[in-house]
Amino acid sequence: MVDCGADLVVGQHSHCVGCEEHYKEGVIVYGQGNFIFDLWGNEFWKTGIVVKANFGEKMEIEYIPICRENKGSGLGDKDIIDGFMKRSEQIKQPGFINAEYEKYALSMIDEYLAMLSSNDGSEFSDARNAERAKTENLRANYHPTVLAALENLFRCEAHNELIQAALHSITQSGQHHEG
Ligand SMILES: [Fe+2]
């Protein structure tokens, strides 16, 4: 988008405050975090930044930290912006993003395995899955060849589409197990 003339590109949905990159004449913001979100006990989910941009002769950007509070969102600590700027420097190191992404993915996989192996009929619970991820050695339940097959299921578009279509059909028809 910057290549096509955009001065500012603001990416969303990670729920976490990201960083910025100065690319050619533009600025790219990788994630503003949450302005207000009810899962606010989680440190990563309760902070955000407001991006204030002045499009004058030269674009000027100001980042305003915000933090979830009891009844809404208020001005957050300067730390939020310090972290944002620190990451903006770190992403310049070759290999940094891939290494951090792999670390984060490995910290999440046991929760995903907990989701995939919740078969006692109880309803979905993030908290229970997080607890199982911490207390059970879920990876040990899978033969390496099964993990390789799972990798293929998630990587392959054809399998993805089939699984989505079937799950959609089951959840929409109400034929799923009610526990
Ligand atoms: Fe989301």
Side-chain angles (χ1 to χ4, degrees):
M1 286 186 265
V2 173
D3 283 340
C4 293
D7 296 303
L8 176 64
V9 177
V10 182
Q12 300 293 344
H13 199 183
S14 66
H15 293 281
C16 302
V17 177
C19 56
E20 65 164 18
E21 180 180 357
H22 290 256
Y23 171 72
K24 294 187 179 171
E25 298 301 303
V27 174
I28 304 167
V29 176
Y30 297 106
Q32 280 180 272
N34 289 328
F35 180 73
I36 187 164
F37 205 89
D38 274 343
L39 198 68
W40 69 293
N42 183 328
E43 185 63 32
F44 293 116
W45 287 49
K46 69 180 184 184
T47 55
I49 52 170
V50 169
V51 180
K52 187 176 172 185
N54 273 324
F55 296 97
E57 191 92 332
K58 189 174 171 288
M59 182 182 65
E60 283 171 15
I61 296 186
E62 188 188 341
Y63 296 114
I64 301 160
I66 48 175
C67 191
R68 182 78 155 88
E69 291 170 348
N70 277 334
K71 290 181 178 162
S73 277
L75 201 60
D77 288 339
K78 194 180 151 286
D79 295 6
I80 297 165
I81 306 301
D82 291 347
F84 177 86
M85 290 304 176
K86 186 179 170 200
R87 285 187 294 278
S88 303
E89 286 303 310
Q90 287 173 315
I91 60 164
K92 294 175 185 170
Q93 299 164 27
F96 175 82
I97 292 173
N98 283 350
E100 289 299 308
Y101 192 76
E102 186 180 354
K103 228 190 282 177
Y104 179 66
L106 285 170
S107 79
M108 289 298 295
I109 189 61
D110 293 314
E111 277 191 50
Y112 289 130
L113 292 177
M115 288 178 205
L116 289 168
S117 60
S118 289
N119 56 5
D120 64 359
S122 50
E123 71 181 22
F124 183 88
S125 159
D126 270 330
R128 189 174 55 237
N129 287 327
E131 183 60 22
R132 288 190 63 208
K134 268 190 277 173
T135 56
E136 297 176 38
N137 187 4
L138 292 161
R139 281 180 233 187
N141 294 337
Y142 295 82
H143 191 277
T145 57
V146 177
L147 291 176
L150 279 176
E151 181 188 354
N152 186 45
L153 291 184
F154 285 106
R155 192 175 51 193
C156 166
E157 283 178 18
H159 287 311
N160 268 242
E161 284 178 14
L162 279 171
I163 292 167
Q164 282 177 42
L167 288 175
H168 185 72
S169 175
I170 293 166
T171 54
Q172 292 303 300
S173 68
Q175 286 169 11
H176 54 291
H177 181 51
E178 292 292 347

